[in-house]
Amino acid sequence: QVQLVESGGGVVQAGGSLRLSCAASGRTFSTVGMGWFRQAPGKEREFVAAINWIYGSTYYADSVKGRFTISEDNAKNTVYLQMNSLKPEDTAVYYCAASRSGNYYYAPAYDYWGQGTQVAVSS
């Protein structure tokens, strides 16, 4: 089992920044990468960004490219999502997830999920 705990959410004005953290514990060696997803009220969960633990390869949704950066600290088993130039449409609950398969864009391919952290961007 892998346990994931997100932190760093909050309320920010449009144009501001937040950094989300996801601390992983347990059998993290069984996973190949981590991803961030988000879900706004009344909408489906959508892919935001992902990173491969070993190679550091990164993947982004078009809607966040150039504004969000995913990174990892392997020593701490922690993944970060730096979010800059935030927009009201970024408002959602953000979830981190761990994948054993490496199919990063596809939510059902993730095996472990955190509890989520709320991000609210005011206009």
Side-chain angles (χ1 to χ4, degrees):
Q1 288 290 328
V2 174
Q3 294 78 42
L4 303 173
V5 179
E6 302 104 330
S7 60
V11 180
V12 64
Q13 288 189 331
S17 299
L18 282 174
R19 188 177 81 155
L20 305 183
S21 300
C22 177
S25 60
R27 298 172 63 87
T28 57
F29 57 85
S30 66
T31 62
V32 297
M34 298 281 288
W36 286 96
F37 286 75
R38 65 187 182 187
Q39 188 166 18
K43 295 187 176 181
E44 294 188 355
R45 190 169 297 190
E46 65 173 357
F47 170 78
V48 176
I51 189 166
N52 178 284
W53 281 122
I54 299 173
Y55 301 109
S57 308
T58 57
Y59 310 85
Y60 294 96
D62 288 342
S63 58
V64 306
K65 279 182 182 176
R67 300 189 299 123
F68 290 11
T69 302
I70 189 170
S71 62
E72 60 182 354
D73 184 335
N74 285 336
K76 296 181 179 180
N77 281 343
T78 299
V79 172
Y80 304 97
L81 185 67
Q82 177 66 45
M83 306 186 294
N84 299 329
S85 302
L86 282 161
K87 304 175 181 179
E89 50 264 43
D90 294 318
T91 296
V93 177
Y94 283 70
Y95 299 89
C96 72
S99 173
R100 294 183 296 179
S101 68
N103 190 352
Y104 296 117
Y105 296 94
Y106 188 52
Y110 286 76
D111 303 281
Y112 308 100
W113 291 83
Q115 80 288 353
T117 185
Q118 177 72 52
V119 171
V121 184
S122 61
S123 57

